[in-house]
Amino acid sequence: MLAKNKKKLKGELEKLQKLGIKNIIDGKLLDSSSKKTFQNHTPVDGKFICDVPEGSIKDIDKAAKCAKKAFNTWKNIDHKSRKEILYNIADKIESYAEEIAVLESYDTGQPIRFTKKAAIRGAYNFRYFADKTIDAANGLSTPDTHHVNFTMKQPIGPVGVITPWNAPFMLSTWKIAPALAAGCTVVHKPAELSPVTANYLSKAAHEAGLPDGVWNTVHGYGETVGKALTEHDDIKAIAFVGETTTGSHIMRQGASTLKRVHFELGGKNPVIVFDDADLDRALDAVIFMKYSLNGERCTSSSRLILHEKIYDSFLKKLKARVNKIKVGNPLDPNTEIGPLIHSSHQEKVLSYANLAKEEGANILAGGDKPKGKLSKGCYVNPTLVDGVTPKMRLGQEEVFGPFLSVMKFKTEAQALKIANSVRYGLTAYIWTNDTSRAHRIARDVEAGMVWINSQNVRHLPTPFGGVKYSGIGRDGGEYSFDFYMETKNICVAYGTHSIPKLGK
Ligand code: NAD
């Protein structure tokens, strides 16, 4: 399988290097207006992948104007055609599943066992929202004595979508599918560290019959192109996934044009394991939720809060399993952890291992780079640290890598206090067989999403999003339409009410 994946990758890279990747504005493949490019390298071994256009304010302006023009057509297209096009996009995405899987792995370092599902999940996102296009405009009827009021929902306008590097393909579909279903047009700014699959996505959409200008892609750096997108007057809303500090920048940048924002930001999520839980299932979930997707996962359970009665025995089993996690080439189907996105991120994650020593925590596994043939890539061994307290930076800061911090608790109140001691509030995971306790903690824990006796299992109709510094707004089902649409109230009189008579 590794050989087959490498062969597939070789073919795709040849095409990519010959053509490069381009901005896609009004359906046309374009260089950046300045003709400037930057190089994209793989975290696997640092080799060159392709040149990427370094977009500018001018490119954003052009893309936003095209999106504005296309909005007039797209918002009025009949629902059946819109639905059909979104279905076609899903089919096209699936037809590129193999290309997307190998390129996403090579570009991001994410193991192919996860990226091979990216196209399937991406296609599902399109089909799910395609089915909602007809009802998206539905509102409420609120009759009064002399009037009937009703609401309808209308697309907000052209929107900007800014995505991060950790799961670029899936996250882009997650944001863009509901925007298109709502009738919005899109300018997408992919992460500069993982730009490749955004072009396959846009290509699939155009081949599926999406009208030109409805979906535009502009590559480049966040501080220039991303900033320009958030400041553009024709762009009515920004859907952003990324770091908390970038979210605050965007809020400032969008202030003068009163941008509506939807933020999915960082996390430092707790998983609380009580002594009465099904400990075997809890162990599997703890490992999966921290070490899958290289630990570069906003919903990962990065703080394990363990009951004192099971602390030693659980930790012993955890350590044995963490030491057996397979680190390797992301194209190898057996690999469980691939290289992190970039050497600077590798250094950042490793710096937390040094911090663990400084802060007096104990490194039980990892904390270093693998030796031998993986030493050229941005790899970090799966790391397990115990003896962490909420006062330590290790107990507070998002590491965003395969790095798990373990803490001990005695009482339910203590567990909750530790869980709520961080500025983030994205997800929380609770493992207990005491139903009342599970409900109490689910109610009181500061998080946008709580899973009880489960890892994160995404169900698209449910609301996805965080509280505190983890985000603003919710994605999924109808919640996505709340963001991409405006609610208009229409009041019709029965002709029976009195009208005040002035000047009579
Ligand atoms: P990042 O904030 O550095 O970058 C994200 C995107 O924002 C990139 O496309 C970047 O170019 C752009 N950007 C940077 N500065 C900008 C600016 N001033 N104006 C406009 N755009 C700008 O994030 P990252 O390092 O790519 O991703 C990792 C972060 O994303 C982590 O904190 C992770 O928790 C978070 N994340 C959150 C979720 C969620 O659903 N809550 C999901 C995935 C990732």
Side-chain angles (χ1 to χ4, degrees), residues 162-167 171 174-175 189-193 220-230 240-247 249-250 253 263-267 296-299 345 348 398 400 424 426 449 464-466 470-471 475:
I162 303 178
T163 46
W165 45 256
N166 62 322
L171 285 172
W174 191 349
K175 294 278 157 192
K189 207 302 271 173
E192 52 269 45
L193 290 177
Y221 296 113
E223 296 73 13
T224 51
V225 171
K227 182 168 179 283
L229 183 58
T230 61
F240 169 73
V241 187
E243 278 192 19
T244 295
T245 43
T246 316
H249 289 315
I250 291 177
Q253 292 160 194
F263 287 163
E264 285 175 5
L265 310 173
E296 296 163 322
R297 180 173 190 157
C298 56
T299 53
H345 190 56
K348 177 190 156 183
E398 183 184 44
F400 216 55
Y424 297 106
L426 190 58
M449 294 167 281
F464 184 103
S470 286
D475 253 331

Side-chain angles (χ1 to χ4, degrees), residues 308-325:
E308 61 173 12
K309 268 198 202 153
I310 51 162
Y311 192 87
D312 291 336
S313 55
F314 195 92
L315 209 54
K316 194 172 162 210
K317 287 184 191 160
L318 178 60
K319 181 179 165 183
R321 289 271 294 275
V322 170
N323 276 323
K324 280 204 237 158
I325 291 177

Side-chain angles (χ1 to χ4, degrees), residues 267-472:
K268 184 77 175 174
N269 309 301
V271 49
I272 306 173
V273 184
F274 284 89
D275 54 331
D276 67 346
D278 181 331
L279 297 176
D280 289 337
R281 285 173 72 79
L283 184 66
D284 287 342
V286 164
I287 295 167
F288 179 74
M289 279 316 300
K290 185 57 256 182
Y291 299 103
S292 59
L293 293 170
N294 294 347
E296 296 163 322
R297 180 173 190 157
C298 56
T299 53
S300 72
S301 53
S302 47
R303 291 180 297 146
L304 170 58
I305 305 170
L306 262 183
H307 191 266
E308 61 173 12
K309 268 198 202 153
I310 51 162
Y311 192 87
D312 291 336
S313 55
F314 195 92
L315 209 54
K316 194 172 162 210
K317 287 184 191 160
L318 178 60
K319 181 179 165 183
R321 289 271 294 275
V322 170
N323 276 323
K324 280 204 237 158
I325 291 177
K326 291 184 194 72
V327 182
N329 187 320
L331 291 170
D332 185 338
N334 293 317
T335 291
E336 292 171 318
I337 291 187
L340 304 190
I341 184 73
H342 191 264
S343 54
S344 59
H345 190 56
Q346 178 193 32
E347 288 313 316
K348 177 190 156 183
V349 173
L350 288 169
S351 77
Y352 280 93
N354 288 332
L355 186 66
K357 290 171 207 152
E358 282 167 30
E359 291 192 309
N362 318 305
I363 300 179
L364 302 179
D368 56 354
K369 305 178 197 180
K371 304 201 169 50
K373 61 180 185 196
L374 297 183
S375 59
K376 276 194 198 146
C378 307
Y379 295 88
V380 170
N381 282 320
T383 303
L384 179 66
V385 177
D386 95 318
V388 177
T389 69
K391 289 222 164 80
M392 295 177 182
R393 280 180 53 203
L394 273 191
Q396 292 291 328
E397 296 175 14
E398 183 184 44
V399 181
F400 216 55
F403 194 108
L404 179 58
S405 299
V406 191
M407 307 175 183
K408 193 187 279 185
F409 76 92
K410 191 172 183 171
T411 63
E412 181 183 320
Q414 265 176 359
L416 189 65
K417 194 169 169 203
I418 298 172
N420 288 344
S421 67
V422 296
R423 68 177 189 149
Y424 297 106
L426 190 58
T427 62
Y429 305 87
I430 305 161
W431 285 86
T432 177
N433 274 329
D434 179 335
T435 315
S436 303
R437 172 158 65 195
H439 279 279
R440 278 193 303 272
I441 300 182
R443 182 194 57 199
D444 295 337
V445 71
E446 292 164 358
M449 294 167 281
V450 179
W451 276 271
I452 296 166
N453 295 333
S454 177
Q455 78 279 29
N456 164 350
V457 178
R458 181 82 186 105
H459 183 46
L460 216 43
T462 61
F464 184 103
V467 301
K468 294 160 85 177
Y469 281 78
S470 286
I472 298 176

